[in-house]
Amino acid sequence: MRISPTRSLTYIQQYPQDVLITILNLLVPFTLIAVMISGDQMQSAPPAESLRTAWRLLDPLIHMTLGFLIITPFLFYHPATPKGILFAALLVISSVAADVDHILMAGSFTLQAITQVIPRTPFHSLSNALVVGLLVWLLTRKFSSTWLFFAVLMSHFVRDAYTGGMLLFPWSPGAFKITLSEYRSLEILLYLLTNLLIYSVTIRLPSAHGRWWRTPAAPKEPIQIPEVCRRPAK
Ligand SMILES: [Zn+2]
């Protein structure tokens, strides 16, 4: 393996998609941090009455954005088939559908009642994410699909655990709170693990034989022996 600027340029020309994916991959963790910081900031204090409805919609919107960012490796590495896009949409919906228990607990469809269900229910727990993951495994027999569902649900539960959830139910039946830095670190960890896993199971990228900053050495050509040097066959 040799680092060669000339070969790297050739590689960039040959596989521009790899370079684009690399840049997007570098941007996602920063976007994740920016969404968490700005979202939490906007949610921390209720605005004037006229903006309350829009403010209440912020929470599901942030959950969906985090879920989407965590599954971006699936969108980057997986071929853009209608089935794949549908699967990705289902994952993003799942990241917010986890709040269905709020509707059940509130017994109402009004946004005000739903968002006031605090502390969260036992549904917002690691055990529930594991159960959903197990169901996905039984249906698909694919570890990557299992992990993706587990990761989007955990991104939701970890965020809610920061404001007081039941993340460790039934092992710790009471409310289980995590700190701001723990919540943000866990979200980034979920993204990194998803990226690592999806990259390792997807072979769509041409970079399967290298990366633009680290191209593999060209295969050695067999040495051609000139005709005159060859020993005449007996
Ligand atoms: Zn929730």
Side-chain angles (χ1 to χ4, degrees), residues 35-52:
V35 168
M36 284 191 280
I37 293 175
S38 57
D40 298 341
Q41 190 68 35
M42 281 191 278
Q43 265 206 305
S44 59
E49 197 58 45
S50 56
L51 292 168
R52 278 300 155 84

Side-chain angles (χ1 to χ4, degrees), residues 119-121 124 157 160-168 174-177:
R120 270 89 185 179
T121 70
H124 275 56
F157 301 155
D160 279 358
Y162 158 59
T163 47
M166 298 177 80
L167 191 66
L168 294 184
F176 184 84
K177 236 178 159 193

Side-chain angles (χ1 to χ4, degrees), residues 59 63 98-99 101-102 120 124 156-157 160:
D59 188 58
H63 278 310
D99 270 341
D101 58 338
H102 287 215
R120 270 89 185 179
H124 275 56
H156 183 120
F157 301 155
D160 279 358

Side-chain angles (χ1 to χ4, degrees), residues 5 45 65 97 122 164:
T65 314

Side-chain angles (χ1 to χ4, degrees), residues 227 230-234:
E227 195 65 35
R230 279 188 196 164
R231 215 182 273 174
K234 282 180 185 169

